[in-house]
PDB file of all heavy atoms in Angstrom:
ATOM      1  N   ALA B1411      -7.257   6.547  11.963  1.00 91.00           N
ATOM      2  CA  ALA B1411      -6.846   7.208  13.208  1.00 91.00           C
ATOM      3  C   ALA B1411      -6.518   6.166  14.284  1.00 91.00           C
ATOM      4  O   ALA B1411      -5.534   6.304  15.007  1.00 91.00           O
ATOM      5  CB  ALA B1411      -7.926   8.171  13.697  1.00 91.00           C
ATOM      6  N   ASP B1412      -7.342   5.115  14.364  1.00 92.00           N
ATOM      7  CA  ASP B1412      -7.087   4.052  15.334  1.00 92.00           C
ATOM      8  C   ASP B1412      -5.754   3.371  15.025  1.00 92.00           C
ATOM      9  O   ASP B1412      -4.942   3.147  15.916  1.00 92.00           O
ATOM     10  CB  ASP B1412      -8.234   3.051  15.321  1.00 92.00           C
ATOM     11  CG  ASP B1412      -8.023   1.945  16.340  1.00 92.00           C
ATOM     12  OD1 ASP B1412      -7.869   2.242  17.537  1.00 92.00           O
ATOM     13  OD2 ASP B1412      -8.007   0.760  15.910  1.00 92.00           O
ATOM     14  N   PHE B1413      -5.536   3.053  13.763  1.00 89.00           N
ATOM     15  CA  PHE B1413      -4.300   2.377  13.369  1.00 89.00           C
ATOM     16  C   PHE B1413      -3.076   3.263  13.577  1.00 89.00           C
ATOM     17  O   PHE B1413      -2.088   2.847  14.154  1.00 89.00           O
ATOM     18  CB  PHE B1413      -4.377   1.929  11.903  1.00 89.00           C
ATOM     19  CG  PHE B1413      -3.126   1.300  11.394  1.00 89.00           C
ATOM     20  CD1 PHE B1413      -2.761   0.023  11.784  1.00 89.00           C
ATOM     21  CD2 PHE B1413      -2.304   1.983  10.520  1.00 89.00           C
ATOM     22  CE1 PHE B1413      -1.593  -0.559  11.322  1.00 89.00           C
ATOM     23  CE2 PHE B1413      -1.131   1.415  10.038  1.00 89.00           C
ATOM     24  CZ  PHE B1413      -0.778   0.132  10.451  1.00 89.00           C
ATOM     25  N   LEU B1414      -3.153   4.498  13.114  1.00 85.00           N
ATOM     26  CA  LEU B1414      -2.010   5.403  13.214  1.00 85.00           C
ATOM     27  C   LEU B1414      -1.741   5.852  14.647  1.00 85.00           C
ATOM     28  O   LEU B1414      -0.629   6.279  14.955  1.00 85.00           O
ATOM     29  CB  LEU B1414      -2.226   6.614  12.306  1.00 85.00           C
ATOM     30  CG  LEU B1414      -2.263   6.286  10.825  1.00 85.00           C
ATOM     31  CD1 LEU B1414      -2.663   7.516  10.015  1.00 85.00           C
ATOM     32  CD2 LEU B1414      -0.935   5.720  10.351  1.00 85.00           C
ATOM     33  N   GLY B1415      -2.731   5.727  15.536  1.00 87.00           N
ATOM     34  CA  GLY B1415      -2.532   6.074  16.925  1.00 87.00           C
ATOM     35  C   GLY B1415      -1.983   4.942  17.758  1.00 87.00           C
ATOM     36  O   GLY B1415      -1.689   5.105  18.941  1.00 87.00           O
ATOM     37  N   ASP B1416      -1.783   3.772  17.147  1.00 69.00           N
ATOM     38  CA  ASP B1416      -1.273   2.590  17.850  1.00 69.00           C
ATOM     39  C   ASP B1416       0.169   2.839  18.292  1.00 69.00           C
ATOM     40  O   ASP B1416       1.002   3.237  17.499  1.00 69.00           O
ATOM     41  CB  ASP B1416      -1.334   1.393  16.912  1.00 69.00           C
ATOM     42  CG  ASP B1416      -0.976   0.084  17.596  1.00 69.00           C
ATOM     43  OD1 ASP B1416      -0.167   0.091  18.548  1.00 69.00           O
ATOM     44  OD2 ASP B1416      -1.499  -0.947  17.182  1.00 69.00           O
ATOM     45  N   ASP B1417       0.458   2.566  19.565  1.00 65.00           N
ATOM     46  CA  ASP B1417       1.806   2.763  20.101  1.00 65.00           C
ATOM     47  C   ASP B1417       2.851   1.933  19.378  1.00 65.00           C
ATOM     48  O   ASP B1417       4.031   2.293  19.347  1.00 65.00           O
ATOM     49  CB  ASP B1417       1.849   2.434  21.592  1.00 65.00           C
ATOM     50  CG  ASP B1417       1.101   3.459  22.422  1.00 65.00           C
ATOM     51  OD1 ASP B1417       0.921   4.595  21.937  1.00 65.00           O
ATOM     52  OD2 ASP B1417       0.702   3.118  23.541  1.00 65.00           O
ATOM     53  N   ARG B1418       2.477   0.790  18.795  1.00 58.00           N
ATOM     54  CA  ARG B1418       3.436  -0.065  18.108  1.00 58.00           C
ATOM     55  C   ARG B1418       4.063   0.654  16.918  1.00 58.00           C
ATOM     56  O   ARG B1418       5.173   0.330  16.497  1.00 58.00           O
ATOM     57  CB  ARG B1418       2.785  -1.345  17.599  1.00 58.00           C
ATOM     58  CG  ARG B1418       2.320  -2.265  18.712  1.00 58.00           C
ATOM     59  CD  ARG B1418       1.629  -3.477  18.148  1.00 58.00           C
ATOM     60  NE  ARG B1418       0.634  -3.112  17.170  1.00 58.00           N
ATOM     61  CZ  ARG B1418       0.327  -3.830  16.100  1.00 58.00           C
ATOM     62  NH1 ARG B1418       0.946  -4.964  15.858  1.00 58.00           N
ATOM     63  NH2 ARG B1418      -0.601  -3.440  15.253  1.00 58.00           N
ATOM     64  N   LEU B1419       3.365   1.638  16.356  1.00 56.00           N
ATOM     65  CA  LEU B1419       3.881   2.331  15.183  1.00 56.00           C
ATOM     66  C   LEU B1419       5.057   3.246  15.507  1.00 56.00           C
ATOM     67  O   LEU B1419       5.831   3.608  14.635  1.00 56.00           O
ATOM     68  CB  LEU B1419       2.771   3.131  14.500  1.00 56.00           C
ATOM     69  CG  LEU B1419       1.622   2.314  13.948  1.00 56.00           C
ATOM     70  CD1 LEU B1419       0.562   3.224  13.375  1.00 56.00           C
ATOM     71  CD2 LEU B1419       2.103   1.335  12.879  1.00 56.00           C
ATOM     72  N   SER B1420       5.185   3.633  16.760  1.00 56.00           N
ATOM     73  CA  SER B1420       6.254   4.553  17.113  1.00 56.00           C
ATOM     74  C   SER B1420       7.578   3.856  17.399  1.00 56.00           C
ATOM     75  O   SER B1420       8.599   4.494  17.526  1.00 56.00           O
ATOM     76  CB  SER B1420       5.849   5.400  18.335  1.00 56.00           C
ATOM     77  OG  SER B1420       5.661   4.551  19.447  1.00 56.00           O
ATOM     78  N   ARG B1421       7.555   2.538  17.493  1.00 53.00           N
ATOM     79  CA  ARG B1421       8.822   1.816  17.768  1.00 53.00           C
ATOM     80  C   ARG B1421       9.592   1.609  16.483  1.00 53.00           C
ATOM     81  O   ARG B1421       9.024   1.500  15.414  1.00 53.00           O
ATOM     82  CB  ARG B1421       8.528   0.475  18.442  1.00 53.00           C
ATOM     83  CG  ARG B1421       7.803  -0.521  17.554  1.00 53.00           C
ATOM     84  CD  ARG B1421       7.608  -1.846  18.296  1.00 53.00           C
ATOM     85  NE  ARG B1421       6.582  -2.640  17.683  1.00 53.00           N
ATOM     86  CZ  ARG B1421       6.783  -3.495  16.695  1.00 53.00           C
ATOM     87  NH1 ARG B1421       7.980  -3.648  16.190  1.00 53.00           N
ATOM     88  NH2 ARG B1421       5.800  -4.204  16.196  1.00 53.00           N
ATOM     89  N   PRO B1422      10.913   1.537  16.576  1.00 51.00           N
ATOM     90  CA  PRO B1422      11.697   1.235  15.371  1.00 51.00           C
ATOM     91  C   PRO B1422      11.455  -0.204  14.966  1.00 51.00           C
ATOM     92  O   PRO B1422      11.310  -1.091  15.804  1.00 51.00           O
ATOM     93  CB  PRO B1422      13.142   1.454  15.805  1.00 51.00           C
ATOM     94  CG  PRO B1422      13.117   1.455  17.286  1.00 51.00           C
ATOM     95  CD  PRO B1422      11.719   1.779  17.739  1.00 51.00           C
ATOM     96  N   TRP B1423      11.395  -0.449  13.664  1.00 45.00           N
ATOM     97  CA  TRP B1423      11.129  -1.805  13.151  1.00 45.00           C
ATOM     98  C   TRP B1423      12.427  -2.479  12.972  1.00 45.00           C
ATOM     99  O   TRP B1423      12.750  -3.419  12.637  1.00 45.00           O
ATOM    100  CB  TRP B1423      10.294  -1.743  11.855  1.00 45.00           C
ATOM    101  CG  TRP B1423       9.039  -1.001  12.091  1.00 45.00           C
ATOM    102  CD1 TRP B1423       8.083  -1.286  13.006  1.00 45.00           C
ATOM    103  CD2 TRP B1423       8.618   0.187  11.438  1.00 45.00           C
ATOM    104  NE1 TRP B1423       7.086  -0.355  12.963  1.00 45.00           N
ATOM    105  CE2 TRP B1423       7.386   0.553  12.012  1.00 45.00           C
ATOM    106  CE3 TRP B1423       9.150   0.971  10.459  1.00 45.00           C
ATOM    107  CZ2 TRP B1423       6.690   1.687  11.604  1.00 45.00           C
ATOM    108  CZ3 TRP B1423       8.450   2.068  10.054  1.00 45.00           C
ATOM    109  CH2 TRP B1423       7.230   2.428  10.625  1.00 45.00           C
TER     110      TRP B1423
END
Side-chain angles (χ1 to χ4, degrees):
D1412 181 57
F1413 177 73
L1414 295 172
D1416 187 329
D1417 290 338
R1418 293 177 311 146
L1419 297 177
S1420 62
R1421 67 178 161 87
W1423 304 302

